[in-house]
Each structure stands twice: as structure tokens, then as C-alpha cells.
Amino acid sequence: MSTPRGFVLGLDLSTQQVKAMVLDDELVVLTEVHVHFDKDLPKFSTQGGVHIHEDKLTVTSPVLMWVEAIDLALERLVQSGVDLSQVAVLSGSGQQHGSVYWRQGARKTLRNAAASSPLHLTLQGCFSLDEVPVWMDSSTATECRQLEQALGGAQSLADITGSRAYERFTGNQIAKVYRTWPRAYEDTERISLVSSFAASLFLGDYATIDYSDGSGMNLLDIRKKCWTQRCLDACAPDLAEKLGELVPSHTVLGPVSSYLVQRYGFSPNCQVVAFSGDNPGSLAGMRLQAGDIAVSLGTSDTVFLWLKEPRPALEGHVFCNPICQEAYMALICFKNASLTRERVRDRCAAGSWEEFSRALRATPPGNGGNIGFYFDTMEITPPAVGIHRFNTDDEKVEAFADDVEVRALVEGQFLAKRVHAEGLGYRTEPETRILATGGASSNKDILQVLADVFNVPVYTLDTANSACLGAAYRAKHGLLAASGLSFSAVVRTAPPCQLATWPSQDSAKVYAAMLERFQRLEQTFVGPCRP
Ligand code: ADP
Ligand code: XUL
């Protein structure tokens, strides 16, 4: 059987930017472009790609900013000299949980978009909400309580959907939209996730939600792979209709829109494969295998594992696996991540990553017994807020010296990852590898602390951008899956992960003792799961 050949395009619509990559037929990256929301589209006045509202809990992004950014990314690909007519297939990753509300009649406008006008102008009147909730939003505690009650408790909801009710999960966000703006809700003909929204722009029609990103909504039955009617009913009326169907993550949705063909020179035969979440995308990009642990260090930090059997608990999430329909993935998300590292860098390391790294090298593993927890905003794992510093005698202190503060932050973030991953069943085995990705994985000194805290070697890819790479790999898999090829067979030509660093001597001893203290100290300020 002949296999379709050609370039592959991967896109990632993340919190702070749109990234796009074109790979050749052997899955080697040819070109990569970025559009940074704050810098490239300043008229939207975002900070870190978002608007944080007065209550500090509501966090949104302007939907038209995303539309404009995707066009700009495609323009930059053309400027880079890549011939988009050679792209045979494309897919994408999106920040998880965020939702987009298409107004009645928007489908028609999307289908008929003319190439003569940029899409953000054509789609101006197409959204019932201009500012849409993103994963950083934590304003839906009331809706979460109601959903758990309707389903018979937090564990019962987790048993079906893979997670107890989380504020950022889309079902709860939709319930808040319905409660707050019932008319806008009524006027909505389709609700997309960020991933299926971006796919819709490429397809020129509403794109279906895939199983894996759909698992981050508190609505999908992760075993039966369908919407759970009781969850839909508890969130808002007519929701099944507004959400549309669900599809396996490798599904080919159809050819690209005529807008893309005419404006950027795509081939009318170029296929769009279902987009998915950025964490599922990273799992694909890193080619995670059972036994590995992946750590993504981006706007959010996440830890994820390959699961054969779903065993949802009250902490962490279980999602459908994006590259193997029989498997699952476990995920833990930490909200205070790169932006907190940047804040401490600016205050204690003169705003420079080099100086931040020097501070890590100047301080010993274990930080002389000093431990810190840094939650600038309400954390997800664990649910806590504020800065909590403890000295070697476990006494609360107000401040650390600058270098000690830098190490306390990074050690504290990685100790939390290990403690909470162990809570999900992670155990270090002799063969365990950490696969690290995300913007901060380009920092060797940060990776050294990661290797030391877990006592496991750390591997990285050539690019820190595994969600984008994973989208491209999934695209190719989508094209070939019909001929029976598995994901691993499809990506066998792609460059493998490289060893970045090995744990230093004695770190196992230092951190074993520290882990026990860390867990005890964390309990002194962690509140109940939800107020
Ligand atoms: P996103 O979640 O938006 O995809 P990325 O994975 O691209 O985020 O990561 C962006 C973050 O990477 C920036 O906010 C920045 O803090 C961090 N970063 C970039 N370079 C370094 C570095 N050398 N050391 C530590 N962090 C870095
Ligand atoms: C995962 C989560 C974040 C976003 C960031 O549950 O909320 O990692 O996907 O883009």
C-alpha cells in the first residue's frame, strides 16, 4: 500500500504564544516560528497571554487574539521560505480546559471565510463571549460543588470522568457561563475547547473534540468514551448539542479550508487531524513509554505518566491516552510554575537566567535544610496559597538570602512533583527516565536539581517544544493509522531524546530525608480541597 508523503505541520496554541513547526517526511524539523501574544499583539494588553480580573480568580484571554496569532504564525512560516503546498497533513495542541463560544450562525461565516480578508476580521461577530475562560481560572468553586453533589460525591465523579471537580475543568466553566450570562449561552451554537477551536480555523468548519483533551472537562466518561448525560445536565441545558460529537485523537477530520488554500498556498488535499490538549501533545512528542515520567516546565508545570488501567483518585487526573486507544495517562498540574520562577529570578537574580543558574550552582543540594513553598496564586496541587519558608529547625521564617531563595523555589517545586507523583502511584525503578520539556527545560542547572530530587537521569528533546512536535507526530499517525500502523512505528524515524544530566552523588540520601520533611511541612498550611 502506498503511504501519503509530504511535510507535516504541528501547531501549539499555548498560554503565552502560538508555535508552529514544519517537519519533513522523515519527521525532522525544517522550520519553527513563534507568535508571542504580549509582544506581537500588544493591542490586546495581555500579560503572559491572559487577563487576570479584579477578583484574582477569573482569568480569560481574548478569543480574537488567538485567531490573529494563528494567521500571523502562518504568515511567518511563509516568510521563513517553507512551501506550505508540500504539507500533507497537520494537527495541533491547545492549552487544556479553556473554552470558546461560537455564536448562532458562526458556522456559516467560518465555512465561507474569504481569503481576501484576515480571519480575525471575518470572525469578529462570531463569538458570544469575546473574553473566554482559560486553564488558570479558578472562579468556579460553586459550580464544582454542585457537580460533585449531583454525581454523588467527588470520588464518584472522578470514577467516571477521571478527575474530581476542578475549577478550571470545562464543564464547570460552562456552568458558570450559563449562570452568569444565560443569554450569551443561549446564543451559542457550538462550544469548542481551545484545541478544537484552533482545529476549526484550519478546517473551516466546527472540529470535533478528541477523547484525550475531552477528558479535561469533567464531562466525558473516560472508559466508555462518550459524554456523561448526568454531568451535562448538572452543568447547563442542551449541552450535548452545543458540544457535538467526540472522536479518537488520531481521526482525520477532513481537508483544510479554502481560506488556507487560497491565502497561504496549502494543497486542497492537505488533511486536518483532530487537535488535542498540550499535555497529551507532549506525551506524543516525547514518545513517552510505560515506566518513564514526563515533566513539562512551561507556564504551568505538569507531570505525566503512561497508565494501562485508570484508577482515578481525589488528586490528579486520568485522561484518555492520545496515541493508544486502550491506554490512559495520569497528569498532575502545578499552576505556580514559570511565572513564579520569573518573579524570583527578577527579585533575587537580577532578572537573568544566567544569574539564576549561578545561584543554583552556588548552593548545595538540600539547601542547608531550608525549604520553601511558593504559591503566588491559588495552587492546584496542593490547594494552597502564599509563600511559606522553613529553616532547618522547621521554623517559619520571613525571608531567605537571594541564592537560598532561588534554590528553595526550584527544590520546592520538584519535591512537590515527586511527592504528588508518588501519591498517584509513581515509583522510581532502575530503568526510570525523566523526560523533560517546556521552556525551562533549556536550563541545565534547573534540570540538575530535577535529576537530583528524583535520583533519576533526565532526558530532553532537541526542542523544548514537545506539544508542537507531538501535534506533528500525531498528524502523521492520523494519516497512516488507517493502514494499521501504530504510533511508535510512525515516529521511528524521528530523532530520539538525549541524556541531559545524571543525578549527582549523595543526592538520593539528601532528598530522601527532605521528602519526609517536605510532606510534613506541606500539611501545616494546606487547606481542604475546596473552600
Ligand atoms: P507555554 O506553557 O506557554 O507553552 P513554554 O513551555 O514555552 O510555555 O515556556 C515558557 C517559559 O519558559 C517562560 O515563561 C520562561 O519563564 C521559561 N524559560 C525560558 N528560558 C528559560 C531559562 N533559560 N531558564 C528557565 N526558564 C526559562
Ligand atoms: C493541565 C493544565 C495546563 C494547561 C496549560 O491540566 O491545566 O497544563 O494545559 O496549557
Side-chain angles (χ1 to χ4, degrees):
M1 183 183 296
S2 74
T3 47
R5 300 184 70 85
F7 293 172
V8 181
L9 189 153
L11 181 105
D12 180 28
L13 201 178
S14 75
T15 318
Q16 303 195 49
Q17 53 198 311
V18 166
K19 308 164 199 170
M21 273 181 188
V22 175
L23 281 62
D24 70 12
D25 192 48
E26 303 281 293
L27 297 177
V28 176
V29 178
L30 296 175
T31 185
E32 182 173 347
V33 298
H34 297 237
V35 174
H36 198 272
F37 302 135
D38 299 359
K39 275 191 242 141
D40 292 316
L41 295 167
K43 66 180 174 194
F44 292 100
S45 310
T46 53
Q47 277 189 321
V50 301
H51 293 138
I52 301 181
H53 295 235
E54 232 173 280
D55 63 359
K56 302 270 186 252
L57 299 174
T58 307
V59 185
T60 58
S61 290
V63 65
L64 285 170
M65 173 181 81
W66 291 338
V67 180
E68 197 169 341
I70 289 177
D71 254 331
L72 200 50
L74 291 172
E75 272 165 34
R76 287 185 181 173
L77 279 179
V78 172
Q79 281 159 14
S80 78
V82 69
D83 178 2
L84 293 177
S85 73
Q86 298 299 309
V87 177
V89 65
L90 64 87
S91 188
S93 302
Q95 50 169 296
Q96 297 200 257
H97 319 297
S99 42
V100 170
Y101 300 78
W102 299 88
R103 178 173 278 160
Q104 300 287 348
R107 181 175 219 162
K108 202 163 155 215
T109 312
L110 182 62
R111 280 178 170 166
N112 296 329
S116 51
S117 163
L119 210 46
H120 68 272
L121 295 183
T122 307
L123 296 184
Q124 246 169 6
C126 282
F127 301 102
S128 18
L129 294 181
D130 295 333
E131 286 279 330
V132 294
V134 297
W135 67 274
M136 295 165 90
D137 185 284
S138 52
S139 66
T140 65
T142 310
E143 287 75 14
C144 286
R145 251 196 312 267
Q146 284 167 356
L147 180 60
E148 286 180 352
Q149 262 165 22
L151 269 287
Q155 185 61 52
S156 309
L157 178 66
D159 287 340
I160 301 169
T161 68
S163 306
R164 68 163 171 85
Y166 278 88
E167 280 83 347
R168 69 192 191 290
F169 273 44
T170 326
N172 309 303
Q173 293 292 339
I174 295 170
K176 179 185 160 189
V177 168
Y178 170 61
R179 177 174 58 79
T180 319
W181 301 285
R183 261 200 281 161
Y185 179 81
E186 211 174 296
D187 195 26
T188 296
E189 78 182 4
R190 176 60 69 108
I191 301 174
S192 296
L193 290 178
V194 176
S195 56
S196 61
F197 154 75
S200 305
L201 302 184
F202 283 84
L203 197 61
D205 200 351
Y206 292 152
T208 29
I209 293 174
D210 78 298
Y211 295 156
S212 195
D213 207 17
S215 315
M217 301 172 79
N218 275 147
L219 298 176
L220 185 153
D221 183 324
I222 55 167
R223 290 178 184 79
K224 296 188 186 144
K225 308 205 174 2
C226 58
W227 301 122
T228 308
Q229 194 59 45
R230 281 195 298 155
C231 296
L232 300 180
D233 291 344
C235 290
D238 307 320
L239 195 45
E241 195 187 304
K242 291 186 199 291
L243 290 172
E245 304 281 310
L246 284 154
V247 288
S249 309
H250 63 260
T251 306
V252 176
L253 301 179
V256 288
S257 66
S258 59
Y259 174 84
L260 253 67
V261 172
Q262 285 163 30
R263 197 169 170 95
Y264 299 108
F266 278 90
S267 155
N269 298 322
C270 173
Q271 300 296 314
V272 180
V273 166
F275 285 29
S276 190
D278 52 0
N279 292 295
S282 281
L283 179 144
M286 289 190 282
R287 292 186 275 162
L288 192 83
Q289 295 164 9
D292 294 334
I293 177 165
V295 176
S296 171
L297 304 170
T299 310
S300 64
D301 283 355
T302 56
V303 169
F304 43 92
L305 306 168
W306 183 286
L307 288 184
K308 288 196 184 111
E309 286 298 326
R311 282 195 203 86
L314 290 181
E315 185 172 273
H317 317 298
V318 178
F319 294 160
C320 297
N321 189 301
I323 55 176
C324 171
Q325 269 209 75
E326 294 73 46
Y328 295 84
M329 65 182 279
L331 180 123
I332 317 174
C333 182
F334 302 86
K335 198 195 272 181
N336 293 277
S338 272
L339 301 181
T340 308
R341 289 188 285 274
E342 284 176 23
R343 182 184 62 72
V344 171
R345 175 201 64 187
D346 293 346
R347 207 178 57 76
C348 302
S352 136
W353 288 123
E354 287 72 36
E355 187 57 22
F356 191 91
S357 286
R358 188 210 51 74
L360 288 176
R361 290 193 300 272
T363 44
N367 212 9
N370 297 298
I371 293 184
F373 301 80
Y374 299 80
F375 307 125
D376 290 341
T377 57
M378 188 62 167
E379 185 48 271
I380 298 163
T381 326
V385 73
I387 315 295
H388 309 273
R389 299 182 187 84
F390 297 90
N391 67 15
T392 190
D393 297 319
D394 293 347
E395 291 160 349
K396 245 189 148 172
V397 292
E398 277 310 303
F400 288 146
D402 284 354
D403 287 3
V404 175
E405 179 93 331
V406 169
R407 179 168 278 277
L409 167 69
V410 177
E411 281 189 347
Q413 290 184 329
F414 292 152
L415 284 162
K417 288 175 183 52
R418 182 157 171 195
V419 163
H420 293 282
E422 287 183 352
L424 265 190
Y426 163 78
R427 295 288 172 272
T428 304
E429 304 289 347
E431 300 302 310
T432 304
R433 303 182 305 168
I434 294 181
L435 306 180
T437 185
S441 71
S442 61
N443 186 317
K444 279 258 164 6
D445 299 285
I446 290 180
L447 294 187
Q448 188 59 53
V449 182
L450 179 60
D452 290 348
V453 169
F454 277 77
N455 193 34
V456 162
V458 173
Y459 289 74
T460 52
L461 291 162
D462 277 349
T463 171
N465 194 0
S466 55
C468 206
L469 195 65
Y473 292 175
R474 287 197 320 95
K476 179 124 190 181
H477 179 221
L479 207 56
L480 300 178
S483 55
L485 276 185
S486 68
F487 180 82
S488 55
V490 170
V491 298
R492 73 182 187 290
T493 55
C497 288
Q498 303 291 340
L499 179 68
T501 185
W502 200 256
S504 23
Q505 243 190 336
D506 293 338
S507 59
K509 227 185 323 162
V510 172
Y511 289 110
M514 213 163 169
L515 274 171
E516 183 275 317
R517 277 183 67 214
F518 185 87
Q519 272 171 288
R520 187 161 37 80
L521 293 172
E522 192 184 76
Q523 287 313 310
T524 62
F525 58 82
V526 172
C529 273
R530 191 171 303 112

